[in-house]
Amino acid sequence: MQIFLDTANIEQIRQAARLGVISGVTTNPSLVSQEGRADYEAVVKEICSIIPGPVSAEVVVEKAKDMIEQAQKIAAWAPNVVVKIPATAAGLEATSTLAKKKIKVNMTLCFSLNQAILGALAGASYVSPFVGRLDDIGEDGMGLVRDIVDVFDYYEFDTRVIAASIRHAQHCVSAALAGAHIATVPYKVLTQMIQHPLTDIGVARFQGDWQRLSEQ
Ligand code: G3P
């Protein structure tokens, strides 16, 4: 499973990139607005210059024609940009047109197996089931990831499954066990993935023992 970072925070992206475990980045309008930056294009270009892998940037219009127009502009920002398009009828229409133009699409706001299948059939390179938001309304977000992975495997779809709306480290474990190709995680969750109290205790003990030895 690959890990993408789900953020528009440049410092977090730089720090995560140094760990050598991040293959891509996903952003959305909410994440960019959290950074207080309205210069979306500049933010995405900066991220693309730090991370050579896929960087998702979302369209913010609703009609298919407008999505296609905006997506083509976004795709021209950098060679590694992937355009995020919502799983609506307009989004499917835009996705199929963009796929024919070889523009990579990440079908976002995906909440059902049907939406994921339609996204794949329209030619999306990625579909993003939103795990946390389904859990929020009492549904089984990771169950959806599992179903999409199984169905895509069965029909040999090339579309990659991104487990999105990841809220905690246990979601990452479940995404890996569900066979998600990618989990896109907030920086906080990435740091949770690294941590284990026994590692900290072990490091402290080794250092203490080594210190005592060197003082003898
Ligand atoms: O990857 C999608 C993500 O940014 C949405 O997360 O926590 O707002 O549901 P959340």
Side-chain angles (χ1 to χ4, degrees):
M1 183 176 75
Q2 291 186 325
I3 303 287
F4 288 3
L5 204 62
D6 194 32
T7 186
N9 182 296
I10 300 294
E11 191 43 40
Q12 290 178 353
I13 292 167
R14 286 192 196 286
Q15 285 187 19
R18 281 200 286 273
L19 301 180
V21 296
I22 297 301
S23 305
V25 170
T26 51
T27 67
N28 61 41
S30 307
L31 292 171
V32 176
S33 93
Q34 272 169 34
E35 299 308 313
R37 287 182 67 173
D39 51 343
Y40 196 25
E41 180 175 344
V43 174
V44 172
K45 282 181 171 169
E46 196 172 350
I47 297 171
C48 288
S49 72
I50 302 166
I51 300 287
V55 173
S56 289
E58 189 153 348
V59 295
V60 282
V61 286
E62 283 179 33
K63 290 187 183 145
K65 184 177 150 291
D66 299 335
M67 285 184 190
I68 294 164
E69 206 177 291
Q70 197 172 75
Q72 289 181 107
K73 284 188 188 143
I74 292 173
W77 290 347
N80 51 332
V81 166
V82 174
V83 185
K84 256 181 161 179
I85 304 263
T88 59
L92 288 169
E93 187 181 330
T95 298
S96 61
T97 301
L98 293 166
K100 286 186 196 101
K101 293 177 188 288
K102 308 275 179 235
I103 291 175
K104 288 192 171 166
V105 170
N106 172 358
M107 180 139 283
T108 188
L109 290 167
C110 184
F111 293 101
S112 74
L113 178 55
N114 281 332
Q115 288 177 322
I117 291 170
L118 293 171
L121 293 175
S125 301
Y126 305 90
V127 293
S128 292
F130 273 35
V131 174
R133 291 193 195 184
L134 279 169
D135 291 354
D136 288 345
I137 59 161
E139 291 194 23
D140 178 9
M142 208 51 78
L144 174 62
V145 172
R146 225 177 348 262
D147 288 349
I148 298 172
V149 168
D150 287 350
V151 169
F152 282 16
D153 272 357
Y154 184 81
Y155 290 106
E156 299 182 344
F157 289 167
D158 290 334
T159 307
R160 309 271 88 187
V161 180
I162 304 180
S165 183
I166 293 287
R167 302 281 173 74
H168 46 73
Q170 192 54 38
H171 268 157
C172 301
V173 172
S174 305
L177 292 171
H181 303 107
I182 300 144
T184 188
V185 306
Y187 185 76
K188 190 183 97 183
V189 175
L190 179 68
T191 61
Q192 288 172 355
M193 287 174 78
I194 301 166
Q195 282 158 14
H196 197 287
L198 291 179
T199 305
D200 297 340
I201 291 167
V203 167
R205 192 177 296 165
F206 285 152
Q207 284 182 350
D209 289 345
W210 190 252
Q211 185 67 26
R212 271 188 292 281
L213 182 69
S214 58
E215 282 165 6
Q216 278 173 11

